[in-house]
Amino acid sequence: MGTGLPTTTVPAQSRTERTGPPTQARTTWPAVPPPPGLPAEPPPGPATGGPATQTRPRTDETRIERAFGNAFRRVTGTAFAPYQSAVLRIGFAATWLFFLLREWPYRHELYGPHGPWSGDMARRLLDGNEAFSVLTWTDNRGWFELVYGLAVVAGALLLVGWRTRTMSVLFMVGVLSLQNRSIFIGDGGDNVLHLMAIYLVLTRCGQVWSLDARRAAKRAGPPGGGPERDVTGLVLWAVLGLFLAVAQVLGLSGLSWFGPGPFPNVGWGLMFWVLWLSHGVWWAARRYAPGEPRTVLDMIGKLIHNGALLVIVVEVCLIYATAGWYKIQGSRWQDGTAVYYPMHLDYFSPWPELSRVLADNGLMIMLITYGTVIVQVAFPFTLFNRRLKNVLLVAMICEHLSIAFLLGLPFFSLAMITADAVFLPTVFLVWLGARITSVRDRVLPRRTAVRE
């Protein structure tokens, strides 16, 4: 008949409709050919012989699968908090850089061979606590000067965001080497910096406000195009790999494969080789594998970045929660006089007259003491209330500023304020960046005109 269907199909269907009971005719599904690639089965309903409620478990399962799928796509498709991670990079690099520059005249007594904590004592300590330091390889003064100078350079380059992935690793090596060489040097902020230096290696902290981001924006091409040849990155990668190989061959301490290290049965040597190889694989994938391999590696990188940021958030919450709960157990914090005593110590009184005036005000001492405990204990419970979280965040930043000014602990305060910055709203950081850019453009108009 010109329909393309077998001639026996229509009469068979017609006989069924004529001979069947009227009630069956209303529930019989028409014989419609299924679309290509789909099985020929009727939709769920009474005609399938089962109740319609049998489809509810499948609907619930689909909803759960959809939720997990959306969550997976979110954590692997987006690198969260680019501005917050940039503030972490800038803040911790600035804290470490300023500390090293301030202690430059006293570096030999603090971390060098002239210090009271000798090299032999440091080596015995590191053998027991499984820490890492390149300063224990030799007590030569030239080696110490080289390591200290490279720590300063790595901090400065990480601050401006030049070769962020490589500089974050060198920054971590510098922090670990100097702090583990003399563990009694520090004011509490060194512990925060010690941990955050390790976490920054796993983050994409150069997405914004960095020379890397500026270079990437200049060379941005059409979608799917490979990046331009990076000679500087290749040379830097090769030199660091050669240095690591030489240190491994010489059998220098702390570079074992499966001995003491950052993770159980994972030595520092194995970790450094994994980082070195991962940087090379990422460069090769970006240049020579623009398809699925690069997409998969990018997803893995974003997942690691988001996981590291989550660890940083949890770490900051634990710092404040443990500090607050330990304060509650102290009798001086319970009676509201704890802040009074450090203000009468000469070591913590850069402004003795100001400390004395504040310490003589009993009401102010009580308010500061109880307010410190309340803010530290309550902060982790306010993360899901944006307005209350922002209020307590401002209170904690003001608290650290007062510690820096009144107690003379600027680097501890700067480290803690930087750690608090992971909770700052993105809108505020974007606004702050725009204001800083406008000021820079007014101060350096010629430079801005040339760039445009």
Side-chain angles (χ1 to χ4, degrees):
M1 301 296 291
T3 60
L5 296 176
T7 56
T8 57
T9 302
V10 176
Q13 184 178 0
S14 300
R15 284 196 303 269
T16 304
E17 293 177 354
R18 287 195 304 267
T19 59
T23 57
Q24 293 181 359
R26 290 194 300 269
T27 59
T28 301
W29 293 93
V32 180
L38 295 180
E41 58 180 7
T48 61
T53 57
Q54 290 181 354
T55 61
R56 295 187 62 183
R58 185 176 181 83
T59 304
D60 295 341
E61 183 180 1
T62 303
R63 187 179 301 114
I64 294 174
E65 291 176 354
R66 187 182 302 112
F68 276 105
N70 292 336
F72 180 78
R73 285 190 295 271
R74 181 171 175 80
V75 299
T76 59
T78 304
F80 294 156
Y83 294 95
Q84 287 81 355
S85 58
V87 172
L88 292 177
R89 185 198 82 237
I90 296 172
F92 287 121
T95 302
W96 182 239
L97 179 62
F98 295 158
F99 176 79
L100 294 181
L101 294 178
R102 190 192 73 169
E103 305 299 342
W104 181 273
Y106 318 104
R107 62 189 184 281
H108 298 106
E109 289 75 18
L110 294 177
Y111 302 108
H114 300 161
W117 191 256
S118 66
D120 292 336
M121 298 171 67
R123 278 185 282 271
R124 285 200 297 264
L125 178 65
L126 296 186
D127 290 339
N129 62 10
E130 303 180 353
F132 174 80
S133 175
V134 300
L135 288 178
T136 59
W137 291 353
T138 177
D139 292 333
N140 183 272
R141 180 175 178 179
W143 176 246
F144 167 75
E145 296 289 357
L146 177 63
V147 172
Y148 199 94
L150 289 178
V152 173
V153 173
L157 294 179
L158 184 65
L159 174 65
V160 298
W162 185 82
R163 308 290 169 178
T164 308
R165 289 189 178 92
T166 303
M167 289 305 119
S168 64
V169 178
L170 296 180
F171 176 78
M172 177 191 69
V173 172
V175 171
L176 298 182
S177 298
L178 290 172
Q179 289 188 354
N180 291 333
R181 170 61 177 80
S182 298
I183 61 173
F184 296 109
I185 305 299
D187 52 10
D190 57 313
N191 296 326
V192 178
L193 185 62
H194 191 106
L195 294 172
M196 297 302 173
I198 300 175
Y199 300 151
L200 280 178
V201 175
L202 304 176
T203 64
R204 292 185 170 183
C205 52
Q207 298 180 92
V208 297
W209 297 343
S210 66
L211 295 181
D212 289 345
R214 182 180 180 182
R215 184 175 65 252
K218 285 183 177 180
R219 71 185 186 194
E228 64 182 13
R229 186 178 180 184
D230 187 5
V231 179
T232 304
L234 282 175
V235 172
L236 185 62
W237 181 77
V239 170
L240 292 177
L242 179 61
F243 176 81
L244 183 58
V246 171
Q248 198 86 48
V249 170
L250 295 177
L252 299 178
S253 61
L255 292 178
S256 62
W257 288 86
F258 303 104
F263 305 102
N265 300 323
V266 177
W268 287 100
L270 179 58
M271 190 200 72
F272 288 134
W273 279 116
V274 169
L275 291 174
W276 184 79
L277 290 175
S278 64
H279 289 180
V281 170
W282 173 244
W283 178 87
R286 283 175 56 85
R287 182 167 180 82
Y288 299 109
E292 185 175 352
R294 188 171 68 179
T295 302
V296 173
L297 289 178
D298 185 59
M299 292 173 61
I300 295 175
K302 291 175 181 178
L303 181 62
I304 294 175
H305 165 87
N306 296 331
L309 278 183
L310 178 61
V311 172
I312 292 175
V313 169
V314 174
E315 187 72 36
V316 176
C317 291
L318 287 176
I319 290 174
Y320 283 115
T322 54
W325 287 106
Y326 271 111
K327 286 181 175 65
I328 289 178
Q329 302 175 34
S331 59
R332 294 295 177 263
W333 291 96
Q334 293 176 3
D335 60 23
T337 61
V339 179
Y340 172 86
Y341 299 97
M343 291 186 178
H344 286 76
L345 298 176
D346 295 336
Y347 184 79
F348 295 109
S349 298
W351 313 95
E353 295 298 330
L354 180 60
S355 298
R356 188 175 299 109
V357 170
L358 184 61
D360 291 341
N361 190 328
L363 178 61
M364 184 63 65
I365 291 294
M366 183 186 66
L367 292 177
I368 295 176
T369 302
Y370 287 146
T372 300
V373 175
I374 293 173
V375 169
Q376 292 182 352
V377 173
F379 179 75
F381 300 99
T382 63
L383 295 183
F384 299 101
N385 189 314
R386 180 172 56 86
R387 294 183 179 179
L388 186 57
K389 182 261 296 182
N390 291 337
V391 171
L392 294 185
L393 191 60
V394 172
M396 289 192 302
I397 293 176
C398 293
E399 173 191 345
H400 291 306
L401 291 176
S402 64
I403 291 175
F405 188 75
L406 295 175
L407 301 182
L409 299 174
F411 298 105
F412 165 78
S413 300
L414 185 55
M416 290 306 303
I417 291 174
T418 303
D420 295 339
V422 73
F423 300 103
L424 289 175
T426 302
V427 175
F428 169 75
L429 292 178
V430 173
W431 174 86
L432 181 63
R435 301 286 80 75
I436 295 175
T437 301
S438 64
V439 172
R440 183 200 63 187
D441 293 343
R442 287 197 297 267
V443 174
L444 303 172
R446 294 182 180 179
R447 189 174 183 180
T448 303
V450 171
R451 187 179 71 248
E452 294 176 352

